[in-house]
Amino acid sequence: MDVLTFHIEDFDGPLDLLLHLVGKNKMNLYDINIMELIDQYTAAIASMQDRMEVSSEFIDMAAHLVQMKSALLLPRSQEAERMKAELTGRLIEYSTCKRVAAELGGRARDLYTAVRAPMPLDSPAEYTRPQDPDRLVQAWYSLMGRSLRRKKPSQERFEPLVTAPFVSVGSRVMHVLRGMLRGTLHRMGQLFSKNESRSTNVATFLALLELIRAGRVRIGAEGQLAVERRHLRHKTGKGQSE
């Protein structure tokens, strides 16, 4: 085997050195003689280590290749085949990336680049238009992705919530049933009014849901309200039997 001399500075890493050995020995990248490649790599690392400090990544690759060589000496070693396929794939990927990088570098060198002198400004660079300071602060917070700090709510804003009357769902259930039995309540829209408080409307809505769930009230396709008569007859018959 010919003795080869290398300089560690000439290679970007262990894959670069392995790819150089593949090309120098005219090997097929898709069918590499792994044993010969391992021997030449370890010999190159040994010769370089005698003359200079070798980077740890080159030594780590050498240890990996020695381990692979030991596995290849075993008959029908699946681990050796896996390591061989992995190394071959890494070399093919590195070779492709190196080729593409060389093509892009050649295009960049051939690209004509012209830079002109900066154009003089026709007007002063200072911003002279008057702006409202509050709007500028708001624009700054919007630009920085922050929201303006909200002021502490006053007592007047909490007053309607704190002093709102409590309306029970049970009372609204009785209100709905009474209105339907008297014949004054026919549609769902009659249950809610803007003149009523929010608590009243919410309690009415929950009461309606409870009546529907219990099977006591039925809503038509257009919002008509109807009392389930079967439920009433069952309740009346049960009361008489008792």
Side-chain angles (χ1 to χ4, degrees), residues 136-154:
L136 292 177
V137 172
Q138 185 179 3
W140 165 253
Y141 278 112
S142 300
L143 180 64
M144 298 301 294
R146 305 171 185 172
S147 59
L148 292 175
R149 293 184 177 180
R150 296 184 177 180
K151 297 181 180 180
K152 185 177 180 180
S154 61

Side-chain angles (χ1 to χ4, degrees), residues 17-238:
L17 176 55
L18 284 171
L19 195 62
H20 173 78
L21 293 173
V22 169
K24 192 169 186 66
N25 291 277
K26 298 180 180 179
M27 297 182 184
N28 184 358
L29 194 57
Y30 293 87
D31 187 19
I32 301 173
N33 188 340
I34 292 293
M35 297 296 286
E36 182 179 353
L37 184 64
I38 291 174
D39 291 338
Q40 290 206 12
Y41 183 89
T42 52
I45 294 299
S47 64
M48 288 189 291
Q49 198 168 8
D50 294 338
R51 294 179 287 105
M52 62 186 70
E53 187 70 23
V54 181
S55 177
S56 60
E57 57 180 344
F58 286 88
I59 299 176
D60 182 68
M61 177 61 77
H64 179 71
L65 293 177
V66 170
Q67 181 184 5
M68 186 188 303
K69 183 177 180 180
S70 301
L72 287 170
L73 295 176
L74 299 175
R76 298 180 181 179
S77 174
Q78 295 182 355
E79 180 66 16
E81 294 299 326
R82 184 193 66 79
M83 297 174 70
K84 178 181 177 181
E86 180 183 356
L87 179 62
T88 302
R90 291 178 63 186
L91 285 174
I92 293 173
E93 182 180 4
Y94 182 78
S95 175
T96 303
C97 293
K98 191 173 181 179
R99 176 176 53 80
V100 172
E103 292 179 0
L104 294 177
R107 294 181 183 180
R109 286 190 297 269
D110 298 337
L111 183 65
Y112 174 74
T113 304
V115 180
R116 62 173 177 80
M119 296 292 293
L121 297 176
D122 298 333
S123 58
E126 293 80 8
Y127 189 81
T128 57
R129 294 183 179 180
Q131 294 289 347
D132 183 10
D134 292 335
R135 295 191 62 183
L136 292 177
V137 172
Q138 185 179 3
W140 165 253
Y141 278 112
S142 300
L143 180 64
M144 298 301 294
R146 305 171 185 172
S147 59
L148 292 175
R149 293 184 177 180
R150 296 184 177 180
K151 297 181 180 180
K152 185 177 180 180
S154 61
Q155 184 176 358
E156 289 76 11
R157 296 185 61 182
F158 280 106
E159 194 70 24
L161 300 177
V162 176
T163 60
F166 175 77
V167 182
S168 67
V169 177
S171 65
R172 301 309 292 174
V173 168
M174 298 302 299
H175 170 75
V176 173
L177 289 177
R178 191 178 295 114
M180 295 180 66
L181 292 175
R182 290 178 178 175
T184 59
L185 184 60
H186 304 283
R187 303 182 63 84
M188 188 173 63
Q190 296 177 260
L191 293 173
F192 308 101
S193 172
K194 294 182 180 180
N195 298 327
E196 297 288 350
S197 64
R198 182 180 300 178
S199 300
T200 302
N201 286 329
V202 171
T204 303
F205 179 73
L206 294 176
L208 181 62
L209 291 180
E210 181 63 25
L211 289 171
I212 295 172
R213 186 190 66 82
R216 304 177 68 178
V217 172
R218 182 178 71 254
I219 299 181
E222 298 182 358
Q224 306 93 335
L225 296 177
V227 177
E228 288 289 352
R229 298 296 178 180
R230 290 177 301 174
H231 184 84
L232 291 178
R233 286 198 298 269
H234 175 73
K235 185 175 180 181
T236 305
K238 184 177 179 182

